[in-house]
């Protein structure tokens, strides 16, 4: 005996209004949770990339200072400098090639690195390019003191310091040379708290 198949009616087709509303609410919740997290990730990635580019500039300046050591006749063995150009929003590497025994770095090397949109030289709790955005290298002093690290021919740096960087979502990193004798470059993150001390490398302090 053959069974009769009931044809599909209007009540069996499509989605109900309640089902559509549930789907719309779920999509809205995903948007509320997902988009800010995505934007924060993109912003943080840009900040990390900028910090690595500046760290590379420091390392390149150190290598050039070692390679060109003694060529400029400078009695303090100062050869290269990396500094922040406020007008250009960029990091520049300059070399002193003049054998006149004074430190006068005027030869550009490697080109300018311009900070990308959304990344600024900025310390926590300060305006862009505020007083603590450059630490240790903006304290004035002799004519050969620049707003950035000066590298000597033995690979050391004239004084310790840091460039501090921020994105638009409250993330802060600094590119630092902590020990003048070694010229070692590190990238540290601010985890809140004291703006002068609470900076840590990846893996430090948990």
């Amino acid at each position: 005996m053959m069974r009769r198949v009931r044809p599909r009616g209007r009540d069996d087709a499509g989605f109900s209004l309640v089902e559509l509303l549930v789907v719309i609410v779920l999509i809205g919740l995903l948007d509320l949770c997902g988009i800010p997290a995505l934007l924060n990730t993109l912003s943080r990635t840009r900040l990390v990339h900028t910090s690595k580019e500046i760290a590379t500039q420091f390392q390149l300046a150190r290598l050039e200072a070692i390679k060109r050591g003694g060529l400029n006749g400078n009695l303090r063995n100062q050869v290269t400098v990396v500094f922040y150009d406020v007008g250009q929003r960029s990091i520049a590497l300059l070399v002193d090639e003049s054998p006149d025994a004074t430190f006068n770095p005027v030869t550009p090397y490697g080109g300018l690195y311009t900070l990308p949109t959304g990344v600024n030289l900025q310390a926590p709790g300060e305006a862009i390019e505020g007083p603590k955005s450059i630490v240790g290298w903006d304290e004035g002093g002799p004519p050969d003191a620049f707003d950035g690290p000066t590298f000597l021919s033995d690979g050391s740096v004239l004084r310790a310091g840091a460039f501090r960087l921020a994105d638009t979502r409250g993330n802060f990193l600094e590119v630092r040379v902590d020990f003048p004798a070694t010229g070692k470059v590190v990238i540290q993150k601010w985890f809140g708290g004291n703006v002068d001390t609470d900076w840590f490398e990846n893996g430090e302090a948990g």
Side-chain angles (χ1 to χ4, degrees):
M1 180 177 171
M2 293 182 60
R3 286 173 45 190
R4 294 183 59 190
V5 178
R6 184 170 63 89
R8 291 181 59 141
R10 293 178 61 185
D11 292 339
D12 299 322
F15 300 99
S16 70
L17 180 60
V18 173
E19 290 171 328
L20 285 174
L21 288 174
V22 168
V23 170
I24 290 171
V25 168
L26 288 175
I27 291 172
L29 288 174
L30 288 174
D31 281 348
L32 285 175
C33 298
I35 289 179
L38 176 62
L39 291 175
N40 190 53
T41 299
L42 292 174
S43 184
R44 191 169 60 244
T45 300
R46 190 182 302 116
L47 179 63
V48 169
H49 175 74
T50 301
S51 300
K52 288 181 178 179
E53 286 288 338
I54 294 174
T56 300
Q57 289 275 52
F58 284 11
Q59 290 159 349
L60 181 59
R62 183 175 183 271
L63 291 174
E64 281 301 304
I66 294 170
K67 187 169 75 174
R68 299 168 185 251
L71 297 180
N72 63 7
N74 180 261
L75 298 178
R76 299 174 73 185
N77 298 319
Q78 298 167 99
V79 184
T80 60
V81 64
V82 180
F83 74 100
Y84 178 69
D85 186 326
V86 176
Q88 301 282 337
R89 271 181 38 91
S90 61
I91 305 295
L93 193 171
L94 298 177
V95 180
D96 177 16
E97 294 183 319
S98 175
D100 57 4
T102 61
F103 186 53
N104 186 28
V106 294
T107 305
Y109 187 84
L112 292 174
Y113 175 71
T114 303
L115 298 185
T117 303
V119 176
N120 298 296
L121 200 71
Q122 184 178 5
E126 288 193 354
I128 295 171
E129 298 171 0
K132 291 187 177 181
S133 59
I134 299 178
V135 180
W137 297 320
D138 60 346
E139 299 168 355
D144 56 9
F146 289 82
D147 288 351
T150 299
F151 288 90
L152 283 61
S153 60
D154 61 359
S156 64
V157 69
L158 192 60
R159 67 178 90 149
F163 286 160
R164 289 174 173 169
L165 302 160
D167 63 12
T168 57
R169 303 186 72 84
N171 298 302
F172 294 91
L173 295 177
E174 69 174 10
V175 184
R176 171 174 287 277
V177 179
D178 244 340
F179 303 104
T182 63
K184 182 184 176 184
V185 181
V186 296
I187 297 174
Q188 297 182 322
K189 180 179 179 180
W190 186 65
F191 285 90
N194 191 313
V195 70
D196 296 316
T197 59
D198 292 338
W199 298 83
F200 301 99
E201 289 182 64
N202 191 23
E204 280 188 332

